[in-house]
Amino acid sequence: MKLPIPARDLQRDLKEFDIWITPSLGEITDTDKFREELARVTRIFEELGQATGNFQDERHCAPDAIAQTFAQLANGRAEVERAELFKSLASTLYLVTGKSDNNSKCQFPLFLRDVARWGTLPSVTRRRGRAVIEQTPLPRTIKSDDFMDLVAAIENSADESRLLEQFVSFLLMGEDAVRQFWSLGFSYYALKQFGRGYERNLLSPIVIFKVRGSVSASGGHKPEAILRDYLESWGLIPDHDFNLADVIVDGVGQGRDEKTRAYDFVLPYRTPGWSPEWQRRIMMQS
């Protein structure tokens, strides 16, 4: 039986393509990243609330007071648990101030040098199973997770408090930042007394704003994975008929000004017998 050749319609085909590879629009609140971050922040307000009488006094949110409180809270806990407690504190401070580790990692060493007047930073090495503290020059960047691992490894409340105070002072710089932290903590417990989870509703929008960038970035790879699954199910060979990673096919400009162009999909990719010239391929860039 001879079937008629269907008439192609570009708009119809594009709509069908969207249905194939466009994932459903998920809510940020349904992601693991959101739940993990909310749990971290909630933990800090719970821990600090117990130690400060539910944020009754604004002075409890001063950098030195926070540092002393968390050094005491960490006392007697395992190193891994202390590190997670301190990292949760860092996440909460980033949330309250609107700052991020990405820009703070470069600014924090400058704060230690120019404001705290530190020329060195402690480092912990293991010798014969024992932790040995040495002073090393300030690095150019300090990630918060690395710094909190360092604080947790020291195992001395006074030194922990000293290091934590500098980190908290760097983020809660000025009275307005301290009041911001206290206001959020006080409101958290004011809502918690109703017993219906309102305190989590208070934190959720702020946590959504904090994690939305990383959630969006990780979600962008999902359509690529869906399309690659379809291509393989249609009989195309991975890494031959279609690429498995971004492909850089040309450059614009020369020397230091040259800019490369990466494509998410190149079809056909390295199919045997196909023309080696990149111009005779379909190239997709999202």
Side-chain angles (χ1 to χ4, degrees):
M1 181 175 65
K2 185 177 180 180
L3 297 176
I5 299 175
R8 308 301 301 179
D9 183 284
L10 179 60
Q11 294 304 318
R12 184 193 63 197
D13 292 346
L14 288 175
K15 288 180 180 179
E16 185 178 358
F17 186 77
D18 286 342
I19 294 172
W20 285 345
I21 70 166
T22 302
S24 60
L25 298 175
E27 295 289 339
I28 291 179
T29 52
D30 294 332
T31 63
D32 291 337
K33 179 68 175 176
F34 169 81
R35 286 191 286 266
E36 291 167 5
E37 195 67 25
L38 182 60
R40 271 186 162 189
V41 174
T42 300
R43 178 189 182 186
I44 291 304
F45 282 111
E46 290 291 337
E47 295 263 16
L48 196 54
Q50 293 176 17
T52 62
N54 297 349
F55 288 83
Q56 289 302 312
D57 194 331
E58 184 182 322
R59 290 174 296 180
H60 291 146
C61 292
D64 59 336
I66 292 176
Q68 291 174 14
T69 299
F70 276 89
Q72 293 170 2
L73 289 171
N75 190 28
R77 302 189 187 189
E79 182 177 331
V80 174
E81 190 176 352
R82 288 203 309 275
E84 180 55 33
L85 176 67
F86 296 148
K87 290 175 185 178
S88 297
L89 173 62
S91 290
T92 304
L93 293 173
Y94 285 140
L95 177 141
V96 170
T97 60
K99 298 178 181 178
S100 69
D101 189 38
N102 197 39
N103 53 39
S104 297
K105 67 183 181 183
C106 299
Q107 298 170 6
F108 185 41
L110 298 178
F111 173 86
L112 292 176
R113 185 194 69 185
D114 299 335
V115 179
R117 299 295 181 183
W118 287 12
T120 60
L121 190 69
S123 66
V124 179
T125 57
R126 300 287 177 179
R127 294 178 185 172
R128 298 179 181 179
R130 297 184 61 184
V132 178
I133 301 176
E134 298 176 338
Q135 295 295 323
T136 58
L138 284 173
R140 293 180 65 88
T141 62
I142 303 175
K143 292 184 177 180
S144 62
D145 280 359
D146 295 338
F147 186 77
M148 294 311 179
D149 283 334
L150 166 65
V151 177
I154 287 180
E155 299 183 0
N156 180 289
S157 294
D159 290 335
E160 283 180 347
S161 179
R162 173 174 169 266
L163 290 167
L164 284 175
E165 183 176 349
Q166 296 306 322
F167 186 81
V168 179
S169 297
F170 165 65
L171 292 177
L172 296 184
M173 199 178 299
E175 292 184 3
D176 285 343
V178 173
R179 288 172 182 166
Q180 232 168 257
F181 191 24
W182 174 80
S183 298
L184 195 57
F186 185 83
S187 300
Y188 178 91
Y189 280 96
L191 291 170
K192 188 177 180 179
Q193 64 181 326
F194 294 104
R196 299 184 63 180
Y198 292 139
E199 69 278 9
R200 293 174 67 87
N201 298 137
L202 172 70
L203 298 178
S204 290
I206 315 174
V207 174
I208 288 173
F209 182 80
K210 183 174 185 291
V211 305
R212 65 179 182 175
S214 59
V215 170
S216 299
S218 60
H221 298 294
K222 191 173 181 180
E224 296 178 21
I226 294 173
L227 181 54
R228 287 192 174 96
D229 287 342
Y230 273 116
L231 292 174
E232 189 170 2
S233 69
W234 295 336
L236 277 68
I237 302 174
D239 209 32
H240 285 277
D241 296 322
F242 64 92
N243 54 300
L244 298 176
D246 289 355
V247 177
I248 299 175
V249 299
D250 60 9
V252 178
Q254 294 180 349
R256 296 179 61 183
D257 295 329
E258 183 179 4
K259 296 181 181 179
T260 58
R261 189 174 298 167
Y263 291 92
D264 299 315
F265 287 94
V266 174
L267 304 171
Y269 179 42
R270 295 189 299 191
T271 304
W274 196 265
S275 170
E277 292 145 6
W278 289 112
Q279 289 81 358
R280 300 191 62 187
R281 285 164 169 75
I282 298 172
M283 291 176 284
M284 304 182 192
Q285 187 178 41
S286 59

